[in-house]
Amino acid sequence: MYEMWCWIVVLQFLLAEEVRVPKHTIKGHSVRLECHYDMEGEALYSVKWYKDGREFYRYVPRDDPPGTVFPQPGIIVDNSTSEQVVLDPIDFSSSGRYRCEVSAEAPSFQTVSDHGVMLVVVLPEEDPYITGGKPRYQIGDIVRVNCTSGRSKPAVHLTWNINGEPADASLVKRFEPIVSGPDKLETSILGLEFRVKAKHFKRGDMKLKCLATISTVYWKSNEESVEGEKIQKAPMLESRRAVPSDTRADRVQGKYTKHRCDGSLWRKFRAVFHRRTQAWPESYPHELNPSGGALTNKYSSGLNFTLRWLLTVLAASRLCWPSSSPSLP
């Protein structure tokens, strides 16, 4: 039992192989199917290729020629060897499950196989495009846009990004692919709907990107950059309010004015007093009391001086505060 187990392991090791079948290929192009093995001294009996269980190519080193093709739909073999098969061109019927089978010569005739699945695709002739967007949005607005791919097979896989980050699944609206034409090509549509928030703007812009892919054979994108609408602020009008008369500014101004007047008040007072004294009519007291007499002259002299002094003070006040003082007769 021990020897039999070891013998099987050795055979499996000697016939280890690797099959390389691309998952997606483009219609009208060529494709290469690879089958790698290591006989480790064992003689190769045959290499056989099958599509969906039907043999379409066989390689037997002892035969002449060693390669044999078995026709079937979607299979056109070109430049093939013991380790690779080239199909050129391919169409929709070329899609399927491909299996490589390697066998050793007698006496073991040990056989191993591996497989891979290939899908033939039709790429869109148009890049994805975005519809429904606006050039500007404000916070609180509703964004409602669609991304539409070109016709393809299989349907293009669409995704949305907002400012470089994948959109949350709750914001995405999915539609069934639209099948059209005799070739049954499919059009994909993916919606995006959300309410604009402050976080959606990066330096005043919001970037909406639609990405369209088919496995590793197709990758296209479309991006729109929209601006956040700037809210116009009301212009700042300069208002000049009437300053109440009884303000600190007036008091300060009055203080300085008073100081300036106080500084020259005595000189002004003396000059006015001198002019009033020189121009005072000597007959004025007698006119106030024409009867005369010593007592009358005494009181008249005092009244004369008092009137001179009062008129002088009023004149000096008018010189110091001309804008606020009452007019003198």
Side-chain angles (χ1 to χ4, degrees):
M1 177 66 69
Y2 178 78
E3 293 180 355
M4 181 181 296
W5 180 79
C6 290
W7 176 248
I8 294 175
V9 170
V10 170
L11 285 177
Q12 290 287 76
F13 175 75
L14 293 177
L15 295 173
E17 66 173 335
E18 178 186 7
V19 174
R20 298 177 182 175
V21 177
K23 293 182 178 180
H24 295 86
T25 55
I26 302 173
K27 178 185 176 182
H29 291 201
S30 64
V31 64
R32 181 173 59 191
L33 312 177
E34 300 180 13
C35 183
H36 300 283
Y37 52 88
D38 187 357
M39 303 301 296
E40 287 291 336
E42 290 287 323
L44 175 65
Y45 174 69
S46 67
V47 176
K48 299 178 181 179
W49 279 95
Y50 298 84
K51 176 184 178 293
D52 297 331
R54 294 178 58 190
E55 184 179 6
F56 67 90
Y57 178 74
R58 177 185 301 173
Y59 182 88
V60 179
R62 294 185 303 174
D63 292 351
D64 186 22
T68 305
V69 176
F70 305 94
Q72 61 175 284
I75 299 296
I76 300 177
V77 179
D78 183 31
N79 295 328
S80 298
T81 65
S82 61
E83 293 190 354
Q84 71 174 24
V85 173
V86 177
L87 306 181
D88 186 21
I90 58 174
D91 56 24
F92 285 135
S93 59
S94 303
S95 298
R97 183 176 185 270
Y98 290 83
R99 179 169 63 91
C100 176
E101 180 183 275
V102 180
S103 300
E105 273 280 11
S108 66
F109 290 107
Q110 191 67 38
T111 301
V112 294
S113 65
D114 197 4
H115 72 275
V117 177
M118 183 179 72
L119 179 63
V120 178
V121 303
V122 177
L123 301 184
E125 296 182 357
E126 301 175 352
D127 292 345
Y129 56 92
I130 299 173
T131 57
K134 300 178 182 178
R136 291 181 179 84
Y137 287 95
Q138 287 185 355
I139 295 175
D141 289 349
I142 299 297
V143 174
R144 189 178 291 110
V145 292
N146 286 334
C147 178
T148 306
S149 71
R151 299 171 66 245
S152 66
K153 192 169 185 178
V156 170
H157 178 66
L158 298 175
T159 56
W160 277 107
N161 284 359
I162 303 176
N163 294 324
E165 298 293 333
D168 189 87
S170 62
L171 309 180
V172 175
K173 186 176 182 181
R174 301 188 180 278
F175 300 91
E176 288 295 325
I178 300 174
V179 181
S180 61
D183 47 7
K184 306 296 183 182
L185 298 184
E186 302 175 64
T187 300
S188 298
I189 302 175
L190 187 66
L192 179 67
E193 183 174 337
F194 63 95
R195 186 178 297 275
V196 178
K197 299 180 180 179
K199 66 179 182 179
H200 293 134
F201 292 109
K202 303 296 184 182
R203 298 181 180 179
D205 291 336
M206 175 172 57
K207 298 185 184 301
L208 304 177
K209 183 176 183 179
C210 174
L211 179 63
T213 59
I214 300 178
S215 185
T216 59
V217 297
Y218 180 78
W219 192 101
K220 294 287 184 179
S221 66
N222 193 351
E223 183 177 84
E224 287 191 359
S225 179
V226 297
E227 296 180 356
E229 189 166 305
K230 299 176 178 60
I231 300 176
Q232 298 294 332
K233 295 183 178 180
M236 299 296 292
L237 297 177
E238 181 180 359
S239 61
R240 299 180 179 270
R241 294 186 303 168
V243 181
S245 59
D246 187 16
T247 62
R248 184 176 182 275
D250 286 338
R251 292 196 295 272
V252 172
Q253 181 64 27
K255 180 180 178 182
Y256 286 127
T257 304
K258 183 179 179 182
H259 282 322
R260 288 197 297 271
C261 291
D262 289 345
S264 60
L265 180 59
W266 173 248
R267 291 190 299 272
K268 293 178 181 180
F269 183 88
R270 186 173 56 181
V272 172
F273 184 82
H274 178 73
R275 289 196 303 270
R276 293 287 180 179
T277 303
Q278 295 296 327
W280 192 265
E282 295 296 335
S283 62
Y284 187 71
H286 299 282
E287 294 174 359
L288 294 176
N289 190 2
S291 62
L295 183 60
T296 302
N297 290 335
K298 177 180 178 180
Y299 285 103
S300 297
S301 178
L303 180 59
N304 184 6
F305 180 83
T306 300
L307 290 175
R308 290 179 184 180
W309 185 83
L310 289 174
L311 291 174
T312 302
V313 170
L314 290 175
S317 300
R318 183 175 59 184
L319 292 173
C320 186
W321 296 286
S323 61
S324 59
S325 299
S327 301
L328 294 177

